[in-house]
């Protein structure tokens, strides 16, 4: 009921249905930011509707802003009713970029190209020597390693979308400071590093979790979101990280074969398997989503609270972050012949979607 009232309140200010762009921005806001946005919208509308009965000073106090800011918001709101009119806090979360990001990225390609077969540790040290940043201001070794790993992943991209498809799951939070622990299920393309589909589920029911991710992948394919990828004609293999329900995956090879999927499937039930494919494709971040493989089955520490029932807002936020991740990769491709995904991939997703 509380969520329903909140959605109706948003629609009252922004229109019913709420425009897609506004719904995306709303999904990106924290609970505190939403409360502030609702306070400002309510105060703005009350002030405008009062036709002068409420003075600007009172309206500003109701909105929690200065009088000057209130006039600025009112002008922007009259021109276009949007969360963006309420202040920069309502925009999309910004990715933190270090002050030496540009210098590191300028030096990175030549450092890796000079010794592409070297270890990540050595390349990070080489980057430290080549970037021209003063020693006292040098980012940490782990930060340099992340830059190197990102460049190596970029160089490893091949025009083979759909050749090697990997299914992985791991615990995650929606932001670095979030205390709600969810379990991410993702379907990944190894060579293009695109997330084909993703969803939240229960590690004790990984068939159900992958069903949600498969439905999301089918939705993206049907909507043409991945149409620019250079798809291969045949899928070579599929690899699956099995959740905590290993007994339900014993017949996976037979089920795939019986469904007409020729590509071999390799289920993984080894220890420390969670997040193994996510690490290689996305690293341990998908936008603001932080992947925490060790917490997938381990007991929780600190303030983390595990849930297997994500809200619609959390699901929407995941879609936004996956879209952002993919846009940074699909833009590198432009398939002039507009190839289509391999038939085995569609069969596999349809089979998984049935749970």
């Amino acid at each position: 009921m509380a969520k329903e009232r909140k959605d109706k309140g948003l629609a009252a200010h922004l229109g019913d249905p709420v425009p897609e762009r506004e719904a995306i921005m709303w999904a990106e806001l924290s609970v505190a930011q939403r409360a502030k946005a609702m306070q400002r919208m309510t105060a703005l509308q009350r002030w405008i509707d009062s036709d002068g009965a409420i003075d600007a000073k009172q309206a500003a106090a109701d909105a929690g802003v200065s009088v000057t800011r209130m006039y600025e918001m009112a002008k922007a709101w009259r021109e276009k009713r949007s969360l963006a009119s309420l202040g920069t806090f309502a925009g999309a979360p910004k990715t933190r970029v270090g002050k030496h990001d540009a210098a590191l990225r300028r030096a990175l390609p030549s450092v890796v190209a000079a010794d592409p077969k070297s270890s990540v540790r050595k390349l990070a040290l080489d980057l430290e020597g080549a970037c021209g940043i003063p020693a006292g201001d040098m980012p940490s070794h782990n930060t340099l390693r992340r830059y190197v790993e990102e460049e190596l992943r970029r160089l490893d991209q091949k025009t083979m979308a759909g050749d090697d498809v990997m299914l992985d799951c791991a615990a995650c939070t929606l932001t670095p400071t979030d205390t709600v622990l969810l379990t991410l299920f993702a379907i990944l393309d190894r060579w293009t590093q695109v997330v084909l589909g993703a969803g939240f589920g229960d590690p004790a029911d990984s068939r159900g979790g992958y069903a949600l991710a498969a439905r999301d992948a089918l939705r993206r394919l049907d909507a043409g979101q991945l149409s620019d990828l250079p798809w291969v004609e045949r899928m070579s293999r599929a690899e699956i990280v099995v959740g905590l329900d290993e007994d339900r995956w014993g017949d996976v090879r037979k089920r795939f074969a019986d469904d007409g999927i020729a590509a071999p499937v390799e289920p993984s039930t080894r220890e420390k398997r969670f997040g193994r494919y996510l690490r290689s494709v996305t690293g341990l971040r998908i936008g603001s989503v932080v992947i925490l493989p060790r917490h997938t089955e381990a007991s929780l520490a600190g303030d983390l609270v595990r849930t297997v029932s994500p809200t619609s807002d959390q699901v929407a936020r995941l879609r936004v972050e996956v879209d952002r991740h993919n846009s940074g990769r699909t833009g590198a491709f432009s398939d002039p012949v507009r190839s289509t995904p391999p038939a085995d991939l569609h069969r596999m997703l349809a089979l998984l979607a049935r749970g």
Side-chain angles (χ1 to χ4, degrees):
M1 288 297 292
K3 181 182 182 303
E4 183 179 342
R5 286 194 299 270
K6 190 178 294 184
D7 288 349
K8 286 182 178 179
L10 190 64
H13 291 298
L14 299 175
D16 192 2
V18 175
E20 182 180 4
R21 174 58 184 159
E22 300 300 321
I24 290 173
M25 281 195 287
W26 183 260
E28 292 172 336
L29 300 182
S30 68
V31 173
Q33 287 172 328
R34 290 182 185 188
K36 187 184 292 185
M38 194 60 70
Q39 177 189 6
R40 292 186 181 186
M41 285 189 290
T42 302
L44 265 172
Q45 199 56 52
R46 187 183 298 127
W47 184 37
I48 293 170
D49 291 344
S50 76
D51 196 24
I54 300 175
D55 64 30
K57 186 175 181 180
Q58 180 59 53
D62 292 342
V65 298
S66 68
V67 173
T68 300
R69 183 72 189 100
M70 191 68 182
Y71 279 116
E72 292 171 348
M73 285 196 308
K75 181 178 183 295
W77 186 255
R78 287 189 180 97
E79 291 174 356
K80 182 179 181 180
R81 291 196 177 202
S82 171
L83 291 168
S85 302
L86 304 177
T88 56
F89 78 93
K94 304 297 189 296
T95 300
R96 292 185 63 186
V97 176
K99 64 178 180 178
H100 296 301
D101 179 76
L104 291 169
R105 293 196 182 280
R106 280 196 300 269
L108 187 60
S110 58
V111 167
V112 175
D115 195 4
K117 300 299 183 183
S118 187
S119 68
V120 172
R121 179 180 182 278
K122 181 180 182 301
L123 289 172
L125 293 173
D126 291 345
L127 179 60
E128 181 177 350
C131 65
I133 299 171
D137 211 18
M138 184 67 65
S140 70
H141 181 72
N142 283 340
T143 297
L144 298 176
R145 285 179 64 97
R146 285 199 297 273
Y147 276 86
V148 169
E149 288 166 350
E150 178 185 323
E151 177 68 5
L152 290 173
R153 285 197 300 271
R154 186 187 70 81
L155 293 173
D156 202 30
Q157 288 185 355
K158 299 181 181 179
T159 54
M160 297 173 63
D163 174 71
D164 189 346
V165 178
M166 306 182 295
L167 284 71
D168 198 359
C169 58
C172 71
T173 58
L174 284 177
T175 68
T177 58
D178 196 1
T179 58
V180 177
L181 193 74
L182 298 155
T183 302
L184 171 68
F185 287 82
I187 301 174
L188 313 162
D189 185 72
R190 177 188 290 275
W191 300 122
T192 63
Q193 300 178 351
V194 163
V195 179
L196 301 177
F200 294 126
D202 184 350
D205 177 20
S206 58
R207 282 174 60 168
Y210 285 128
L212 293 172
R215 291 168 199 158
D216 184 54
L218 289 169
R219 178 186 63 82
R220 292 175 189 280
L221 291 173
D222 291 344
Q225 293 184 16
L226 307 175
S227 59
D228 284 341
L229 292 181
W231 296 102
V232 296
E233 186 176 344
R234 293 184 180 85
M235 187 168 71
S236 294
R237 65 173 178 171
E239 304 162 86
I240 303 176
V241 167
V242 175
L244 303 178
D245 51 347
E246 297 179 20
D247 57 317
R248 301 185 65 196
W249 290 90
D251 63 343
V252 62
R253 292 186 178 90
K254 182 178 185 302
R255 285 195 298 118
F256 271 51
D258 288 349
D259 218 57
I261 300 168
V265 57
E266 296 297 329
S268 174
T269 57
R270 71 180 190 181
E271 290 187 19
K272 299 182 179 179
R273 61 189 179 274
F274 300 114
R276 60 179 296 199
Y277 300 134
L278 282 160
R279 285 178 186 273
S280 63
V281 171
T282 67
L284 295 182
R285 289 284 290 268
I286 302 177
S288 68
V289 178
V290 181
I291 299 165
L292 304 167
R294 289 187 302 167
H295 290 301
T296 308
E297 58 181 329
S299 59
L300 301 183
D303 296 327
L304 287 173
V305 178
R306 192 187 304 276
T307 181
V308 295
S309 301
T311 66
S312 59
D313 290 334
Q314 289 169 326
V315 173
R317 179 62 177 272
L318 175 63
R319 287 186 177 182
V320 167
E321 298 302 340
V322 169
D323 286 344
R324 286 198 181 121
H325 169 88
N326 286 346
S327 67
R329 282 141 185 85
T330 56
F333 303 102
S334 181
D335 187 1
V337 297
R338 306 293 289 183
S339 56
T340 57
D344 268 2
L345 176 59
H346 259 294
R347 292 191 189 100
M348 182 186 76
L349 292 174
L351 175 62
L352 291 167
R354 296 197 297 270

